[in-house]
Amino acid sequence: MTNPQMDYAALAAQWRAERETTLKASRAELIAQLRALGIREVTAEYEGYGDSGNVEDVTVQPAEVQLPEALATEVGDFAWSLAYHHHPGFENNEGGYGTLTWDIALDSITLDHADRYVECSHSYDEGL
């Protein structure tokens, strides 16, 4: 049952703060593992539409470093969560897509994101 007195703005702010804490912890864990493997850069391509989506590809530099499958999954989950944190709901309807690029040495992330939408032009003429 929904509480009509619930402060949805406060609840949304609380959820955002919790996501930020989780993302920060995940980022710290992942960067330590990636640096230990000698990885300099991670790129993750993601795509969402029709109420679902996923990370399409995770690549690393140098390319000859083999990213363990479990770590690739964790990096993909992190990329999806970060994209969703900054663009919540992007997987709905026509969706959105993007690329997360993570410079491991600098611990700097770039998120290049695009949202799709349908544009309509409507006119109504009466009594012409």
Side-chain angles (χ1 to χ4, degrees), residues 52-70:
S52 66
N54 62 320
V55 172
E56 302 291 324
D57 195 26
V58 174
T59 58
V60 297
Q61 292 298 325
E64 59 271 4
V65 175
Q66 188 72 299
L67 191 61
E69 189 174 326

Side-chain angles (χ1 to χ4, degrees), residues 4 12 19 25 54 56 70 74 78 81 89-91 93 104 120 126:
R19 283 193 314 269
N54 62 320
E56 302 291 324
E74 288 181 50
F78 172 75
S81 296
F90 76 84
E91 81 288 359
N93 302 318
I104 300 302
C120 296
E126 185 178 334

Side-chain angles (χ1 to χ4, degrees), residues 32-111:
Q33 294 177 58
L34 295 166
R35 285 177 174 163
L37 291 172
I39 293 171
R40 293 189 311 264
E41 183 179 88
V42 172
T43 303
E45 306 280 339
Y46 61 90
E47 168 112 18
Y49 57 89
D51 301 335
S52 66
N54 62 320
V55 172
E56 302 291 324
D57 195 26
V58 174
T59 58
V60 297
Q61 292 298 325
E64 59 271 4
V65 175
Q66 188 72 299
L67 191 61
E69 189 174 326
L71 185 53
T73 298
E74 288 181 50
V75 170
D77 291 347
F78 172 75
W80 181 269
S81 296
L82 189 68
Y84 195 87
H85 181 67
H86 289 279
H87 302 279
F90 76 84
E91 81 288 359
N92 294 320
N93 302 318
E94 285 69 38
Y97 60 94
T99 303
L100 175 141
T101 305
W102 189 358
D103 181 322
I104 300 302
L106 299 175
D107 189 18
S108 174
I109 296 176
T110 301
L111 191 61

